[in-house]
Amino acid sequence: MHLAAMAYKADGDIDKAISYFNSALKINDNQSQVHNNIANTYKQISNSKLAEFHYNKAIKLHPQYVDAIKNLGLLYLQDKKLTQAKDSFLRVLNLSKNNTSALTSLGNIYKAEHDFVAAIAYYKQALSVNPRYVNALHNLGIAYRMTGDFSAAIKCFNEAKLIAPNISDIDFNEANTQFDMGNYPAAEQAYWNALRKAPDNCEVHETLNEFYWQTGKKSEFGKSFKLAIEHLPNNSRLRHTYAESLFSSGAKAQASVVVEEALKLDKTPELLHLKGKFLASEGEIKLAISLIEPVLLNEYKLSNALDLIELLIIDFDYDKALHQIAYAEKIAPHNQLLIAYKSICWRLTNDPRYEWLVDYQKHIQSYDIPVPNGYSSRAMFLDELEAALLSMHQTQHEPLKQTLKFGTQTPGRLFYQPIKPIIDLKKSFEEVTLDYISSLPDDSLHPLLSRKTNHVNFSGSWSVKLKPNGFHVNHVHPEGWLSSSFYVKVPDFSQYDQSSEHAGAIKFGESSMNLKEREKVSKIVTPNAGLVVLFPSYVWHGTIPFNGPADIFRLTAPCDITPRED
């Protein structure tokens, strides 16, 4: 029975494989290897609950079963249960101290927690055991990239390619690193190298076309997708990703044509959902809901649920939206966009919990950035920081899927750049963040206050250079806890005719859903150079555009902050 199950699994018949595994266990439930193998199969079809059950059963039967313990750790890592994953891999190392897979996986956990120093140490330990362990070498390169050590990252990728020349992801991450360095010809070449090895890799296609968009090579936009679709005409995922890229670039009609052509080949849930999004963008809200809702019932995905919740709010169906939010929060309790949608529903139904959830006076605070040691004044610090940041703004256009319009954004994680003014900025931010957290009251039920801690990570950091008429559309930061905007340079807007008395300011409370008379701006903060504004990541915020000559700009360095697991 067990051998038959393995054969059916190898042949791709998962249902039959599971049936035979269960038959084997019905005969004898005390087979640790069968439990491990059926768990692997459940993990393959994303049934984490049953996979976890069978891994634990295998380990209970055989407490020193290294493969089962390691596989359970990999399941936890996949499901972002990082503390449990860490425990599993440390248990593996207790049984097998030189297990390169466990060492590399621990590095991956610390990388996911943005503790790159610890991640690098574990990758190096794995490589000391096996210098040719390509997973550790590749991920070490990624960790170096995250810390801004680009030359070390490129060295790792080059060594990894010598060991495993056919792995597309190595070229892809080399390309991303070259892009961060501003080496655009090398980045373009590496993206194409990645696609030659994996022409169906949608992430590489999407990133390459994002690269063409940001660097102003719009004539090349979509070229890779067209070539791949020509050679892989039945790959619906390629067509889906191409349509999404077109839609993000504003080519809605062309995107719609691509989707309709793809639907003739295969009516996949993803394509039907995307068609629903296109209909919603044309104002066909009820028709969009009628397409998206059944797709979600057949195959639940959080990203699709978020789209449905937004449409239900636009359609005044707050009860149904709140029902969807409650279900989604069981899967992603800290997703800030879910909390943001809930805040809109509560405000529009006059639920008193809205004012408890979003206190615009206590939860949104402004600070003058502390002057780091070694600078005679805040102005001196800002001047040096401005010069460092401007040298990093090398693209011509904003990223496609960001909220930024008419401006540029730096790649990578700003706070990991080994540049003195940026290192000093991070230290000042840490000081301000701890002051902000200490000012917050305690509330064990509140999504912001219940997570109070003095141990934080800067999970995202970047710089934005806004041009005249530039702005951020209203948005939230789904993966954050706290978010901020820090103003490095702010022009004197009063010198130019402005369409708003609050030109260039940050506004809070108004959503991205264009609810017209249902929208409300609850707070406006007027920026000045050196100002830090901190707020919960789930609070809707955006920028009021400003006018002026082409050579003026507003320079910021925002970041996201999350609690750190110790």
Side-chain angles (χ1 to χ4, degrees):
M1 291 293 183
H2 185 197
L3 289 171
M6 296 298 289
Y8 278 117
K9 182 183 177 186
D11 201 38
D13 193 338
I14 301 301
D15 290 340
K16 231 167 198 176
I18 289 173
S19 174
Y20 274 93
F21 279 129
N22 282 319
S23 295
L25 292 171
K26 190 174 182 181
I27 296 167
N28 179 3
D29 192 49
N30 296 323
Q31 302 176 91
S32 58
Q33 189 178 6
V34 181
H35 281 290
N36 181 60
N37 286 333
I38 193 174
N40 288 339
T41 310
Y42 279 127
K43 181 183 175 218
Q44 184 179 328
I45 60 171
S46 301
N47 190 332
S48 295
K49 186 175 181 181
L50 283 176
E52 183 178 358
F53 170 81
H54 284 284
Y55 284 135
N56 279 318
K57 190 72 183 283
I59 296 164
K60 186 176 181 181
L61 289 167
H62 183 2
Q64 295 186 323
Y65 194 171
V66 169
D67 277 353
I69 300 167
K70 182 184 72 175
N71 289 336
L72 178 60
L74 291 171
L75 176 72
Y76 286 141
L77 182 55
Q78 173 187 285
D79 292 346
K80 298 183 179 179
K81 296 178 179 179
L82 301 184
T83 300
Q84 295 98 313
K86 202 178 293 181
D87 290 343
S88 294
F89 293 123
L90 288 172
R91 187 173 173 184
V92 170
L93 292 179
N94 282 333
L95 297 168
S96 175
K97 67 178 182 178
N98 290 329
N99 190 297
T100 52
S101 176
L103 290 167
T104 302
S105 295
L106 282 165
N108 293 342
I109 292 169
Y110 283 107
K111 178 159 66 71
E113 292 177 338
H114 306 283
D115 186 345
F116 299 114
V117 173
I120 288 168
Y122 272 109
Y123 294 140
K124 285 184 173 180
Q125 192 176 342
L127 290 167
S128 70
V129 177
N130 180 1
R132 294 179 61 82
Y133 193 63
V134 74
N135 286 346
L137 191 56
H138 178 211
N139 286 324
L140 177 60
I142 295 172
Y144 277 135
R145 178 197 170 208
M146 293 298 102
T147 62
D149 192 345
F150 299 134
S151 60
I154 294 295
K155 184 174 182 289
C156 287
F157 297 138
N158 286 335
E159 290 178 12
K161 283 190 293 184
L162 290 174
I163 299 167
N166 295 320
I167 296 179
S168 169
D169 281 350
I170 300 172
D171 295 280
F172 177 52
N173 283 301
E174 179 197 350
N176 291 333
T177 308
Q178 297 286 8
F179 176 76
D180 291 348
M181 297 168 70
N183 296 335
Y184 296 154
E188 183 179 12
Q189 182 62 50
Y191 285 129
W192 279 105
N193 288 342
L195 287 176
R196 288 186 189 96
K197 296 170 187 178
D200 61 343
N201 190 317
C202 292
E203 185 182 6
V204 180
H205 282 287
E206 189 174 31
T207 308
L208 172 60
N209 285 279
E210 175 76 53
F211 164 81
Y212 284 138
W213 176 268
Q214 290 193 47
T215 56
K217 298 179 72 172
K218 295 185 180 179
S219 62
E220 299 295 309
F221 188 86
K223 178 180 175 182
S224 71
F225 280 115
K226 291 176 183 176
L227 287 170
I229 290 168
E230 182 180 336
H231 290 283
L232 300 166
N234 295 321
N235 189 313
S236 64
R237 185 63 192 157
L238 272 173
R239 294 174 185 268
H240 175 272
T241 311
Y242 181 31
E244 280 195 323
S245 293
L246 287 169
F247 187 71
S248 298
S249 72
K252 292 183 180 180
Q254 194 177 349
S256 184
V257 169
V258 173
V259 167
E260 292 301 331
E261 288 175 351
L263 285 168
K264 291 175 186 175
L265 297 171
D266 189 6
K267 289 183 170 55
T268 67
E270 291 83 4
L271 288 169
L272 290 168
H273 180 90
L274 190 56
K275 183 176 180 179
K277 287 177 69 173
F278 291 173
L279 288 168
S281 73
E282 299 296 327
E284 298 283 354
I285 303 301
K286 290 188 183 298
L287 189 55
I289 291 172
S290 72
L291 267 180
I292 290 174
E293 195 167 17
V295 169
L296 193 65
L297 290 172
N298 289 330
E299 184 181 354
Y300 192 88
K301 287 186 178 179
L302 181 62
S303 58
N304 292 355
L306 290 166
D307 289 336
L308 177 61
I309 290 164
E310 178 169 321
L311 293 178
L312 291 170
I313 293 172
I314 294 171
D315 201 40
F316 294 84
D317 198 343
Y318 308 127
D319 287 343
K320 201 168 188 178
L322 286 167
H323 174 76
Q324 289 287 345
I325 291 167
Y327 185 84
E329 283 185 323
K330 295 175 183 177
I331 298 167
H334 298 312
N335 185 287
Q336 304 294 292
L337 185 53
L338 285 171
I339 304 170
Y341 284 141
K342 185 191 293 184
S343 74
I344 294 294
C345 290
W346 282 354
R347 179 174 66 79
L348 293 174
T349 56
N350 297 312
D351 191 312
R353 289 176 293 180
Y354 171 68
E355 293 182 358
W356 165 80
L357 181 63
V358 188
D359 187 325
Y360 287 95
Q361 299 310 310
K362 292 180 181 177
H363 296 167
I364 301 171
Q365 298 292 334
S366 300
Y367 301 83
D368 290 321
I369 194 75
V371 180
N373 292 333
Y375 299 90
S376 60
S377 66
R378 183 174 289 111
M380 178 187 176
F381 169 56
L382 293 176
D383 284 345
E384 291 197 19
L385 180 61
E386 178 186 342
L389 294 176
L390 288 178
S391 70
M392 300 168 66
H393 281 274
Q394 299 185 33
T395 56
Q396 297 183 30
H397 298 284
E398 67 277 3
L400 277 173
K401 293 189 176 182
Q402 296 292 342
T403 62
L404 170 63
K405 303 298 178 185
F406 303 109
T408 58
Q409 180 172 312
T410 57
R413 286 170 168 77
L414 181 68
F415 283 176
Y416 290 98
Q417 294 289 335
I419 301 170
K420 186 179 185 305
I422 294 173
I423 294 169
D424 293 334
L425 174 63
K426 183 181 179 183
K427 290 177 183 175
S428 292
F429 248 105
E430 288 170 345
E431 184 179 334
V432 167
T433 300
L434 293 179
D435 282 349
Y436 172 85
I437 292 170
S438 66
S439 74
L440 296 173
D442 296 322
D443 186 336
S444 61
L445 300 177
H446 196 281
L448 170 72
L449 307 177
S450 63
R451 300 174 72 193
K452 277 178 60 179
T453 176
N454 288 331
H455 304 287
V456 297
N457 283 321
F458 291 101
S459 55
S461 50
W462 59 98
S463 174
V464 171
K465 181 183 176 185
L466 268 188
K467 303 172 185 177
N469 301 312
F471 63 99
H472 289 274
V473 298
N474 298 326
H475 64 288
V476 301
H477 296 234
E479 302 301 322
W481 170 54
L482 302 175
S483 294
S484 76
S485 189
F486 168 57
Y487 300 89
V488 181
K489 179 174 182 176
V490 180
D492 181 0
F493 298 121
S494 65
Q495 296 184 44
Y496 318 106
D497 290 334
Q498 303 293 342
S499 56
S500 168
E501 62 178 310
H502 300 294
I506 184 171
K507 56 182 176 179
F508 295 93
E510 185 180 67
S511 83
S512 64
M513 292 178 277
N514 191 24
L515 301 178
K516 299 178 181 177
E517 68 278 357
R518 291 181 285 166
E519 293 289 7
K520 181 181 179 182
V521 176
S522 297
K523 184 168 184 171
I524 293 175
V525 176
T526 301
N528 57 268
L531 185 74
V532 179
V533 185
L534 280 164
F535 50 91
S537 295
Y538 59 76
V539 175
W540 291 100
H541 58 285
T543 309
I544 299 171
F546 62 89
N547 298 323
D551 59 342
I552 70 164
F553 58 89
R554 194 192 74 160
L555 188 66
T556 58
C559 70
D560 283 337
I561 302 155
T562 53
R564 187 174 74 231
E565 289 189 41
D566 290 319

